[in-house]
Structures are given as structure tokens and as C-alpha cells.
Amino acid sequence: MRLKFNASSLALVAIAMLSTSAFAADDAVKIGLVTRTDSNPFFVKLREDAQAYAKTAGAEIVAITGKTHDDAAGQVAAIEDLTALGVKGILVTPSDAEALNDAIAKARAAGILVIALDGRVSPDSAVDATFATDNLQAGVLQGQWVRAALGDTAPRVALVDGTRGTVSTRERHDGFLKGFGLQEGAPEIIAQQNISNQAEAQTALENFFQKDPTINAVYTVYEPAAVSAHAVTSALGLAGKVAIGSIDGSCDGIKAVADGQVGATVVQFPGKMAELGVQAIVDYAKTGTKPSGFIDSGAVLVTDKPFEGIASQNSAWGLKNCW
Amino acid sequence: MLVVPARPDVAAKADESRLAAWGKSLRGHPLVGPALALLLLIIVFSFASDRFLTATNVSLVLQQTLVLGMLALGQTLIILTAGVDLALGAITVLATILAAKLAVGGVPEELALLLAVTLAITASTLNGWLVAKVRLPPFIVTLGAFTVLTAVSYLLSGSRSQTIPKGFLTLLGQGVSIGGVFVSWGIPTLLAAYALFAHILGNTAWGKHIYAVGDNPDAARVAGVRVERTLIGVYAVAGLLYGVGAWLSLGRIPSADPNAMANIALQSITAVVLGGTSFFGGRGKVLGTLIGALIVGVLRNGLTLAGIDSLFQDIITGILIVATVSLDQYSRRRST
Amino acid sequence: MSREIDMTSSPAIPAGTILAARALTKTYGAVEAMRGADFDLRQGEILAVVGDNGAGKSTLIKSLTGATVPDSGQIYIDGIPVRLTDPTQILGAGIGVVHQDLALSGELDLVSNLFLGREIRKPSFSGRVLRTLDRAAMANVAGEQLARLGLGNVSLTTPVRKLSGGQRQAVAIARGMAFGARVLVLDEPTAALGVRETAVVIDLIRRIRDNGVSVALISHNLPQVLEIADRIHIHRHGRRAAVVAPAETTLREVVGVMTGIDEIAA
Ligand SMILES: Nc1ncnc2c1ncn2[C@@H]1O[C@H](COP(=O)(O)OP(=O)(O)O)[C@@H](O)[C@H]1O
Ligand SMILES: [Mg+2]
């Protein structure tokens, strides 16, 4: 998932991991992988899948992760190190849209293919290509489903947003409003808050429903917040009366959909991003062809309450494709 | 008020100006400032939202303040010794993860909790040992512990939240409905902990020693206080409180989340300082910390109910910190 | 109390000497705070210890009371060699001390300060199980103690940091005297006080001596010392330079020894 976890203003969370497969054959294609942090299963899954896929494709992954979710300086250093190491290509999940550009430019000047995974850099042309979830589209899918779930009832919406100021927080939020058919600041929006972990989400939701128990639709930026939305509404005897949507595709999140706690979630595919990225670099090593532009790694709505006109998969499918 | 028996004239004098003395001691009393701040917030918010001053909402704010309140109690003890604990959130999170992992792995929940609390006590005692015996600054020791334990939490949890079923581990989140208002067992737990430590700090030798060690460790040592033992004991007891905090946390959200409590160290310091405890040690009351924690909780809840952006919580909290401390400094300068 | 006693009596210590030291040394890094310091406090006297700043007076007093362990040398209580490693050891020997900078815990009240490290618990269930202190009993003892010292008007319940400097010093002295002390060691008790408060404290010290307590008084105030002391120990460069009787000396002479301009035989 892409929620930015501000580990703490004191944060020096030191779990930088350097995993090199020292025994890989010398002629294997060397691929650098720079993730944001291991404090998020999304990136752990992305790395594991990249390593698994690299093995089958005859490539070798040199993985480096930032110390925190926002460790742009650590990522710059990682890209510089990988450039010096002479990898064929670098896959990076950028923690900042612009801070990495200089280091990326130097890597590309050295003939290295650089692909952004999971998030964009600005401008898009700073990297060779971007493979990521279209967060706006993911938000749209959630918005469409929640709107449909309300049927004819007048919407009273609460929004649980991710960490303030990040691109994915904004894109998911905007997408939801677009899919739902609401303007920013519309009177149907009863409450909104930015959160950075589940405890904060739960507190925010309790206060929302204390403020106004007639809320009937809840947008959540990630699944633990949706699980809390279920806990809060069922404590108030509102279980089943509030449409709860989410985004991410973690296996716990899909389970919550299967259990009926969460109405729908939108799955994103870190494994797919990893696979596309590794394949592109292997191709580049063999044929010299470079990918370009933005390549959507896909977003799929998962719900057991499908609606006409909104493409979706059921939770059984979700459980097979979660991370 | 205690009176010197050998000097009845003193008693008479005290009697005659009892009222004035009462007023004066109230003005100088360390809890007056924090209590007034809390009262003011409550008044303002009850005008801003008619749903604020309801029994349900009072219960809600209390639930939301339980974990912070318990951790801030441990933080108070440590700050009273002129220390500070940046690791308390990391210790608590690790305890929740250990308890959840063990329970899900089939260990009886009571045993899982016991082991988690033991872990919290051990980790905090180690901090205390490094502070007392190796004489490292508490800021450095607990910063290091925070860093290490956070990483251990991520490793142990595989960066994933672990959901647990309802049971003994979530007991403190269960409770009774009194006249339609939910009261979780966590509330009496927290209040009992504060009552106990108000007694310990106010009425026992150990409490006096904590103040003395925080005020001037060399003076305490020369007076015969076993400074190192007192210090290590404080960290150990704080660890116990963090263990209970972990239990409260699992009661509130039945899930052990490695990303939880990232900011709770600063929040707990905020609660302690808002409660009138000196950041430099030796002076303060646990009841003040309870008020401080409630101020943090009331602000969050009240501003949401009033429909005000959550960023203002931080702005107002920051202003309150500086204001209470200046008020305290001002009254201190006047009273000495 | 755990003092290691070497039962061979020392001929070096004259009879009637209640607290003594021979050849104490102590270095802090490059600083030699004591360089073979001797000390003798006789029964029932006020012994003033004077010396320049940094002469090593406080280090000597800390060594004599177990707050610091000297590198070498020997301390004697009642002529018996002792090894002091812990500040609580001297309590059992009836030695009270008021350290220059380590006197009181400001946030605690008078009673708590007086009883710090030796509190009295309630005899009841509440004391045994809840460890509740017996405030009333402690306040009683404190009140009697203060009354005996003529300090009945100091509040027992305000944090001592709120007391005046003179009152604080009186409280510190009361603590030094609290548990039946027969020796009281005072390190610069009047240094931070005004004229009037100094007079009160000096008066208090005299009364304590008149009750049969031996007093070692470290002071900077030479005129005051000449007036109150029975003997004057002059400290210079980490050792005792001379001992003089006030009646047989002058201010000039004392200053001369202190600063090393004159030398007098001890
Ligand atoms: N704990 C200490 N650490 C380092 N140096 C010290 C310490 N205590 C005293 N000294 C040094 O020892 C010397 C004697 O100090 P002190 O005994 O306090 O002298 P006095 O009391 O006569 O002024 C001074 O130079 C002082 O700086
Ligand atoms: Mg001195």
C-alpha cells in the first residue's frame, strides 16, 4: 500500500537492508532495486516478487531500501551506489517526486535503464518509464462502488485520508470524489481527516460518528482504516448500514471484504510492477530496447456485492491475488 | 496542614489566615493551570458542538486517551528522575506484536500477555540500567532503544498488522453499558493506575526518593538514597506500565500494528508537560499528567466535532505547551 | 552501618580527638585536590577550616563523611581507623554533615528532607502493605528537632526551594543534627546568605556547640571565624598548612598562611 507512514519526527528507523545474492552467476543481468522502506508489506512483497522473478529470468537483484518512508537522501545514495556498481538497470519506488532526479540523470547518463515503480517522478521524462498503479483510477473505482451501494439514499460521506501532502493520498482522494460524483467541499462531505496509522483512523472515525451518526458512506485510503470503520459502526449498531470502501489489496484487507466487514476494496499489484520492471531491464540487456511512458500495473475492484456497470472481482479471486 | 507541636503560636497564626493561605496555595498549586486549561477547552467545545458534553462522548474521549494516559504515566515517572523516554511507544508496540504473535500461534492468551509484559519490563529495565550504571544520557539510551525496538517490531511482524480474535488479550476493550453509555474495563484500569502512583509518589519513601533523585542525584545519594536502584526501579515500573499499555491497546484495536504509536513518545511528553511536570525533573504530579493526556484527547475530539481541520490540533497543542510552561515559570518566579 | 574497623589503636591520634584524618590524597585527573591532608576535630570544639577557593576543603569534608573515597590516607573516628565508602556510614557514628552544594532536595518539604533515606512507615496495614509513610510521626520528630534548635517557625510542608536561603540552611543543619549527631560538619553554610541570615546561622552553630556537639565549620568569612572558632585549621594547596588559636593570631596572619605569604609552625 502507499500510505506514507511518517515513522516519527525522531525517526531513524534503521532497517536498511542490503540483500545481494552473492552466488549468482557472473553473467546474470544485475538489477538494482531501491524501495522506500521495509516497514510496509507492499514493498516487502514487491522486493520478494522481483527477486523470485529475476531468478527465473536469469537476473540478479541488488536490493536497497530507504530507512523510512520518506528517506529521499537514502534513496539518492542508493542510486549512486548502484550506478557505481554498474548495474544494467535500476527499479526505484520514489519517496519524493523530484529529489532523486539528479541521481537518476547520472545513472541514465551511465547507460543504466531507470524505471520508477509504484509512484511517479516529476517530470515523467526524468525516468525511462513508470510502472505503477493509477491511484486516481483506483480512487474512482472505490467512489463508483460506494455511490452505487448507497442506491437512492442521500449521501453523507466521511473521508479517512492518508498522510497529508503525499501524491498517492491526493490522487486516491480526488479519484474517490470523481468516481462518487462529488466536488471538493461539497455539503455531502460530513467529515475528513488525515491519519497515519490504524489507531489514528479509529479515533478519527469514532469522532466522525459522534459528530454525526447519520454518516452512511466512508472512504478509506487503506484497508486497516476500513476495518476500523467497521468496528466503529458495528459498535454503534450501524453495521451493514454504512457503505465502507477502501484501496490496497493486502490479504488482511481482502479477508475483511470476504467477511463482509468492508464492502469493497481496490487491489493494486506490487508483484506485477516488479515483474514488468525486471522483464523490461532483462529485455534492455538483451536487445537494447527501452520501455517508455506510464504503464499502468492495474487496479481491480474486489467486492462480493457487485453492481451493474462496475467491473469487479469477488473476494475469492482477491484472496488469490492479494499481497 | 501540619503544625509544629512545640510552637502553638505557629498553629494559631496559621488558623487565623487559613482562608488567605488556602487561596494562596490554590494559586500556587501545580494542578490549577492544567485543570483550568482543560475546563476552558471543555466550555469552548460544548458551545461549539451540542454533542460534545454528552455521556457517550465523554466515554469516547476516555477510550481514546487510555493508551496515551498509561504510557504518559510511565513517562512522568521517568521525567521526574530528570530523564525522558523516547522508546516507550516502540516498547509498547513490540509488546503488542509479541502478545498477538504468541496468541495466534496457540500460546494461551494469559501467558502471551505475561510474556509481552515481561518483555516490556525487561526492555525498559535495560534502559534504566544503561542510564543508572553506565551513566548514559536517557535521551541517547532511549533513542537507541527506540531505533532498535522499532526495527525488531518490523522484523517480528514481517511489517504486517496481526489481527487477534476477541478474548483475554482484548479484555480491556470490553466493558459494560451503564445507562446506554459504554464503559470499557480499560477506564477503571487507567484510573486505578493513576490512583496507585499518586499514592506512591505522594506517600511512600520510594516516591520521595524519585523526586529527590530527579531534583539532585548527588544530594540524594549523600542523604542515603540508593540512586541507581531508584533509577532502575523507575524504568522497570515504567516498563510494567507500558506492558499494561500494550494490553489496553489490543483492547482498543484488536490488531498489533508495527506502524502504531510512531508519535506517542512526543505526545506523552506533551501530556506530561501540559500537566505541569518539570521537564528537568524533580517536580510534578501524576494527576497533572492525566489532565494533560485528557487535554490532548479533548482537543482531538472537540475539534473534529466542531468540524475544524486536524492541523489545528497540532497548532493549539503547541501553543498550549508553551503557554502552560510559561505560566508555570511565571508563577514559580513569583512564589519564590 | 558497616565500617571496617582496624582495632589497632593509632598513637598518631591524640586522645579526645573525635574525627581525624592523616595524609589523605585525592586527584581528579590532573588536579590534586588533596595532597597529604591531615585533620583533627576535638571533642566539644568549633574548629574552623579556612583556605582559598580550590584549596581542597570540600574534598576533605567529603572524604571525612563518606561522600568521596580518598585515593590514600586514613580516617579515624574516636581514634579508630575507618574506611568510609558510603555516605550513610557516618550516621551510625553520630556524624552529621551539611555539604556545600548537596544540601537539600528542593521539591521536597522539610519533613521529607529531614527523613530522606530514613523514612518512617506507618505501623498499620497501610504502612506495611501500601508502604504509606507516617507523616504525623515524622512531623512530630521534625517539630521537636526544630524547636530544640529554636527554628519552630519554619514551615514543615512547603517545598524547601520556596524557603529563604537562611531557612534552607537552617533546615540543612537540622537534618545534619537530626539523628543524634555528636559531630556536625558544615561546608560553607553562610556563603550564600545575607548579613542577618548569617548571624542567625552562626548563632545556631554556637548553640549546637554549647549542647556538647563538636563542630567543623568551613568558611570564607575570616572575621566571623576569628570570632566563633575555638581553633582554626588553615588549608592550602590540598593540605593543612597550620592550626592556630584565634586568641593568638590576627586576620593578617591567617590570610598570610592561606595565601602562602607567611608560614607559621602548626
Ligand atoms: N568532582 C570533582 N571533579 C573534578 N575536580 C574536582 C572535583 N571536586 C573538586 N575538584 C577540584 O579539586 C580542587 C579542590 O576543590 P574543592 O575541594 O572543592 O576546594 P574548596 O572547597 O577548598 O574550594 C579544585 O581544583 C576543584 O576544581
Ligand atoms: Mg568548597
Side-chain angles (χ1 to χ4, degrees):
Chain A
M1 76 114 262
R2 325 262 306 272
L3 189 63
K4 185 176 106 177
F5 286 118
N6 181 3
S8 140
S9 18
L10 304 159
L12 296 164
V13 183
I15 41 169
M17 263 191 66
L18 193 76
S19 73
T20 48
S21 10
F23 302 110
D26 272 349
D27 56 349
V29 178
K30 272 208 180 78
I31 299 174
L33 173 62
V34 182
T35 48
R36 290 178 72 165
T37 165
D38 271 350
S39 70
N40 183 333
F42 181 91
F43 297 111
V44 176
K45 167 76 174 170
L46 193 152
R47 188 182 64 230
E48 286 168 0
D49 281 9
Q51 280 163 338
Y53 191 75
K55 211 172 250 169
T56 65
E60 178 198 343
I61 299 281
V62 181
I64 305 177
T65 182
K67 286 189 174 64
T68 67
H69 214 274
D70 312 312
D71 186 13
Q75 290 198 325
V76 166
I79 292 169
E80 287 167 353
D81 291 347
L82 290 168
T83 305
L85 195 65
V87 297
K88 201 71 201 164
I90 295 175
L91 303 170
V92 56
T93 65
S95 60
D96 187 290
E98 285 163 11
L100 312 179
N101 287 1
D102 280 353
I104 291 173
K106 278 182 211 144
R108 293 178 73 189
I112 297 171
L113 179 70
V114 180
I115 297 172
L117 297 185
D118 172 56
R120 292 167 187 255
V121 293
S122 173
D124 283 331
S125 61
V127 289
D128 289 293
T130 304
F131 302 162
T133 309
D134 183 346
N135 275 300
L136 193 81
Q137 176 58 20
V140 166
L141 288 172
Q142 187 190 160
Q144 287 175 340
W145 184 88
V146 173
R147 183 69 193 89
L150 285 180
D152 296 333
T153 321
R156 302 190 57 75
V157 183
L159 306 172
V160 181
D161 280 313
T163 306
R164 203 182 286 269
T166 63
V167 177
S168 60
T169 291
R170 202 192 58 239
E171 286 180 349
R172 290 181 184 189
H173 173 102
D174 291 350
F176 177 85
L177 294 184
K178 188 173 161 207
F180 198 101
L182 281 175
Q183 294 297 313
E184 189 66 62
E188 289 88 347
I189 300 173
I190 308 301
Q192 178 277 333
Q193 195 153 315
N194 293 85
I195 55 99
S196 58
N197 60 42
Q198 191 185 355
E200 286 180 21
Q202 175 136 340
T203 299
L205 284 155
E206 284 168 349
N207 292 339
F208 289 172
F209 279 92
Q210 175 64 21
K211 178 188 180 189
D212 189 339
T214 68
I215 290 169
N216 56 16
V218 177
Y219 157 83
T220 61
V221 69
Y222 82 137
E223 285 142 358
V227 171
S228 271
H230 170 75
V232 170
T233 49
S234 53
L236 294 169
L238 297 172
K241 295 183 185 134
V242 178
I244 301 169
S246 199
I247 298 181
D248 240 4
S250 70
C251 293
D252 282 350
I254 304 287
K255 262 180 230 132
V257 173
D259 294 348
Q261 299 183 0
V262 175
T265 192
V266 180
V267 178
Q268 52 173 345
F269 302 97
K272 184 83 184 166
M273 294 172 201
E275 188 185 320
L276 288 171
V278 170
Q279 190 55 55
I281 292 171
V282 170
D283 287 351
Y284 170 63
K286 287 192 181 136
T287 67
T289 50
K290 293 182 176 184
S292 66
F294 181 90
I295 294 161
D296 186 357
S297 57
V300 172
L301 184 72
V302 169
T303 180
D304 290 334
K305 274 185 265 169
F307 292 103
E308 197 78 40
I310 307 173
S312 66
Q313 296 282 354
N314 65 15
S315 59
W317 180 92
L319 285 171
K320 281 191 218 112
N321 290 281
C322 62
W323 42 270
Chain B
M1 179 173 169
L2 283 158
V3 175
V4 183
R7 297 286 297 254
D9 53 318
V10 179
K13 213 169 116 196
D15 215 338
E16 145 200 324
S17 61
R18 180 168 293 168
L19 213 81
W22 192 77
K24 201 176 158 192
S25 79
L26 194 68
R27 197 149 22 92
H29 196 280
L31 294 186
V32 171
L36 282 179
L38 179 59
L39 197 67
L40 189 74
L41 286 177
I42 290 174
I43 291 171
V44 168
F45 284 133
S46 45
F47 279 110
S49 162
D50 56 356
R51 297 181 60 86
F52 178 76
L53 211 57
T54 61
T56 325
N57 196 46
V58 169
S59 156
L60 205 57
V61 172
L62 288 175
Q63 314 289 342
Q64 294 172 352
T65 312
L66 289 179
V67 176
L68 175 63
M70 190 57 80
L71 268 51
L73 182 55
Q75 183 74 275
T76 309
L77 298 180
I78 289 174
I79 287 182
L80 278 177
T81 68
V84 65
D85 194 349
L86 303 179
L88 83 186
I91 292 174
T92 308
V93 166
L94 184 57
T96 62
I97 290 170
L98 181 69
K101 282 263 158 201
L102 290 173
V104 169
V107 175
E109 293 193 27
E110 291 81 357
L111 182 60
L113 180 68
L114 187 72
L115 290 172
V117 172
T118 308
L119 173 74
I121 295 173
T122 309
S124 191
T125 305
L126 185 64
N127 286 345
W129 184 83
L130 289 169
V131 168
K133 295 280 187 186
V134 189
R135 292 171 193 270
L136 298 175
F139 187 96
I140 302 300
V141 168
T142 59
L143 178 62
F146 163 80
T147 309
V148 171
L149 296 177
T150 303
V152 172
S153 283
Y154 283 123
L155 288 175
L156 186 63
S157 65
S159 305
R160 285 171 184 274
S161 293
Q162 175 68 62
T163 307
I164 55 170
K166 260 200 176 127
F168 182 73
L169 281 178
T170 64
L171 179 69
L172 296 184
Q174 279 133 57
V176 287
S177 182
I178 301 174
V181 179
F182 177 69
V183 178
S184 73
W185 302 125
I187 293 176
T189 305
L190 183 77
L191 295 180
Y194 270 89
L196 178 64
F197 279 90
H199 165 74
I200 288 175
L201 287 178
N203 302 322
T204 74
W206 194 57
K208 303 289 175 197
H209 295 178
I210 291 173
Y211 284 104
V213 166
D215 191 72
N216 185 341
D218 293 324
R221 187 176 62 85
V222 167
V225 173
R226 278 173 291 200
V227 173
E228 295 176 1
R229 247 174 68 161
T230 307
L231 273 174
I232 295 174
V234 162
Y235 281 84
V237 165
L240 171 65
L241 294 170
Y242 305 155
V244 179
W247 196 15
L248 284 169
S249 168
L250 289 173
R252 201 168 137 60
I253 299 172
S255 163
D257 176 5
N259 291 306
M261 302 191 209
N263 296 319
I264 209 162
L266 291 181
Q267 279 178 7
S268 68
I269 294 170
T270 301
V272 172
V273 171
L274 283 179
T277 292
S278 163
F279 195 64
F280 305 105
R283 183 166 45 82
K285 300 252 189 290
V286 291
L287 226 53
T289 300
L290 184 58
I291 296 175
L294 285 173
I295 289 176
V296 173
V298 162
L299 260 178
R300 181 169 49 203
N301 170 271
L303 287 173
T304 307
L305 261 53
I308 296 171
D309 191 302
S310 60
L311 274 186
F312 285 94
Q313 287 167 21
D314 298 345
I315 293 174
I316 295 177
T317 308
I319 292 172
L320 268 178
I321 292 173
V322 177
T324 19
V325 174
S326 342
L327 204 76
D328 181 56
Q329 293 285 336
Y330 174 73
S331 73
R332 181 179 317 283
R333 249 176 269 134
R334 284 188 51 148
S335 71
T336 48
Chain C
M1 157 179 174
S2 63
R3 59 175 154 152
E4 298 163 24
I5 296 172
D6 173 0
M7 287 309 287
T8 56
S9 71
S10 169
I13 309 299
T17 303
I18 194 164
L19 182 61
R22 290 292 175 268
L24 299 184
T25 66
K26 177 87 187 176
T27 57
Y28 291 109
V31 179
E32 286 185 274
M34 293 193 298
R35 302 191 297 172
D38 295 340
F39 179 85
D40 291 86
L41 175 65
R42 292 178 191 162
Q43 179 70 50
E45 72 170 347
I46 295 182
L47 173 72
V49 178
V50 300
D52 217 349
N53 247 334
K57 306 180 296 293
S58 291
T59 307
L60 171 66
I61 263 46
K62 285 180 182 165
S63 304
L64 287 169
T65 55
T68 288
V69 182
D71 297 336
S72 69
Q74 183 63 54
I75 293 163
Y76 304 86
I77 296 175
D78 297 324
I80 299 168
V82 293
R83 195 176 136 68
L84 302 173
T85 54
D86 185 291
T88 56
Q89 281 174 283
I90 55 166
L91 296 176
I95 299 172
V97 58
V98 177
H99 287 285
Q100 181 171 8
D101 45 1
L102 311 172
L104 299 169
S105 294
E107 205 47 39
L108 300 179
D109 63 21
L110 188 155
V111 174
S112 302
N113 263 290
L114 228 52
F115 282 87
L116 192 62
R118 46 206 125 131
E119 293 83 358
I120 303 174
R121 279 206 298 271
K122 281 187 177 165
S124 60
F125 168 86
S126 154
R128 272 181 285 118
V129 177
L130 297 176
R131 325 292 280 178
T132 308
L133 294 176
D134 196 337
R135 284 284 308 184
M138 293 194 293
N140 258 324
V141 175
E144 282 166 25
Q145 175 73 20
L146 292 175
R148 211 175 313 124
L149 297 173
L151 298 168
N153 55 352
V154 182
S155 160
L156 297 181
T157 52
T158 28
V160 297
R161 71 175 164 81
K162 293 192 176 174
L163 302 177
S164 73
Q167 282 178 321
R168 265 206 298 270
Q169 205 52 262
V171 172
I173 292 172
R175 181 165 80 186
M177 291 298 299
F179 298 89
R182 57 198 179 106
V183 175
L184 183 61
V185 181
L186 300 154
D187 194 353
E188 310 251 15
T190 61
L193 302 186
V195 177
R196 230 166 51 90
E197 292 186 313
T198 299
V200 172
V201 169
I202 290 299
D203 186 47
L204 177 59
I205 293 169
R206 259 207 199 96
R207 251 178 300 137
I208 288 171
R209 190 262 322 265
D210 293 345
N211 284 338
V213 175
S214 316
V215 178
L217 169 68
I218 290 82
S219 180
H220 255 105
N221 186 334
L222 294 182
Q224 174 197 86
V225 156
L226 286 170
E227 189 193 322
I228 187 178
D230 298 310
R231 295 190 308 141
I232 302 174
H233 165 144
I234 306 174
H235 214 71
R236 195 166 89 80
H237 281 345
R239 60 164 68 102
R240 181 166 70 184
V243 177
V244 298
E248 296 158 13
T249 191
T250 62
L251 193 71
R252 261 188 61 107
E253 226 174 353
V254 174
V255 172
V257 180
M258 262 173 68
T259 54
I261 294 166
D262 298 330
E263 297 287 343
I264 316 175

